[in-house]
């Protein structure tokens, strides 16, 4: 069943002040097709729309991106988000063992690039497949296997280049927190 959420409901569940949530939704979503302030209809959010606003708000408030930069990031990652995050909501929501939300750990690295039209970014997305511990005395050593996908609407980077100003986002934690907060109130 398709569920829709209202501003106040999302604001309360996600712990975001209502005014801030509304401002983010105006910045990061297209205009509401059912009307605006004077139509008498409250905006209804699908899970996809709510997640886009939540992610964009996180990029602005916690990661320090500007509104235009966060808008560009969402635009660049739109196809990847739909395929890898949004289409998997139903499987995650219906799963019985809720602590293992979202499956493998997914890290997103956002790297600014030099380009005439700013903002421009290159993205590296890592999905952890397996992590094995090895014990070497008192030191903890881990072996990890992961897949890496590069989305580069900006200039190509040299292989293995990890500039110091790249910002990392643990997408698994973001998605897990978002879904747990929405699910916890529905019971």
């Amino acid at each position: 069943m398709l569920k829709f959420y209202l501003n106040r409901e999302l604001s309360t569940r996600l712990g975001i002040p209502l005014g801030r949530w509304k401002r983010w939704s105006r910045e990061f979503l297209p205009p509401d097709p059912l009307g605006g302030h004077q139509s008498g209809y409250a905006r209804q959010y699908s899970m996809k729309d709510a997640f886009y606003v939540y992610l964009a708000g996180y990029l602005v408030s916690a990661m320090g991106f500007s509104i235009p930069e966060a808008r560009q990031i969402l635009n660049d990652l739109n196809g990847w988000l739909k395929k890898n995050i949004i289409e998997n909501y139903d499987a995650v929501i219906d799963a019985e063992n809720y602590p293992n939300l979202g499956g493998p750990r997914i890290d997103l690295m956002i790297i600014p690039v030099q380009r005439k039209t700013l903002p421009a970014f290159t993205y590296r997305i890592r999905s952890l497949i397996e992590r094995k511990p090895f014990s070497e005395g008192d030191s903890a050593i881990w072996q990890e296997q992961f897949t890496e996908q590069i989305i580069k609407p900006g200039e190509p980077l040299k292989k293995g280049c990890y500039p110091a100003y790249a910002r990392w986002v643990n997408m698994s934690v973001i998605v897990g927190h978002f879904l747990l907060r929405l699910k916890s109130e529905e019971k």
Side-chain angles (χ1 to χ4, degrees), residues 34-41:
L34 293 177
H37 292 296
Q38 297 178 3
S39 70
Y41 291 104

Side-chain angles (χ1 to χ4, degrees), residues 99-132:
N100 295 327
L101 273 169
R105 177 181 166 146
I106 300 172
D107 289 315
L108 167 66
M109 187 186 343
I110 304 169
I111 308 163
V113 295
Q114 296 288 327
R115 206 165 140 192
K116 291 180 183 177
T117 59
L118 293 176
F121 302 96
T122 293
Y123 309 92
R124 287 189 174 201
I125 303 164
R126 287 185 167 190
S127 299
L128 186 64
I129 298 171
E130 182 178 27
R131 187 173 196 224
K132 294 180 186 177

Side-chain angles (χ1 to χ4, degrees), residues 12-156:
T12 302
R13 288 182 180 197
L14 297 172
I16 299 169
L18 181 59
R20 185 178 302 164
W21 178 264
K22 286 182 176 182
R23 187 172 57 251
W24 287 348
S25 69
R26 284 191 304 271
E27 290 288 347
F28 299 112
L29 293 178
D32 188 2
L34 293 177
H37 292 296
Q38 297 178 3
S39 70
Y41 291 104
R43 182 169 198 139
Q44 294 183 340
Y45 297 83
S46 66
M47 190 91 113
K48 172 189 161 225
D49 290 342
F51 180 71
Y52 273 39
V53 173
Y54 182 74
L55 177 59
Y58 177 81
L59 292 172
V60 169
S61 67
M63 300 298 295
F65 288 103
S66 67
I67 299 280
E69 288 173 333
R71 198 178 293 128
Q72 183 64 47
I73 291 167
L74 284 182
N75 185 49
D76 292 345
L77 294 177
N78 187 37
W80 181 83
L81 285 169
K82 281 182 184 174
K83 180 181 177 189
N84 296 287
I85 304 293
I86 293 164
E87 290 179 2
N88 294 327
Y89 280 158
D90 293 335
V92 171
I93 290 170
D94 293 338
E96 288 298 322
N97 64 352
Y98 225 157
N100 295 327
L101 273 169
R105 177 181 166 146
I106 300 172
D107 289 315
L108 167 66
M109 187 186 343
I110 304 169
I111 308 163
V113 295
Q114 296 288 327
R115 206 165 140 192
K116 291 180 183 177
T117 59
L118 293 176
F121 302 96
T122 293
Y123 309 92
R124 287 189 174 201
I125 303 164
R126 287 185 167 190
S127 299
L128 186 64
I129 298 171
E130 182 178 27
R131 187 173 196 224
K132 294 180 186 177
F134 290 101
S135 59
E136 293 277 332
D138 293 338
S139 300
I141 299 175
W142 297 88
Q143 177 183 9
E144 295 182 342
Q145 292 182 356
F146 56 87
T147 61
E148 185 172 81
Q149 179 181 4
I150 298 175
I151 300 173
K152 46 186 173 184
E155 295 175 356

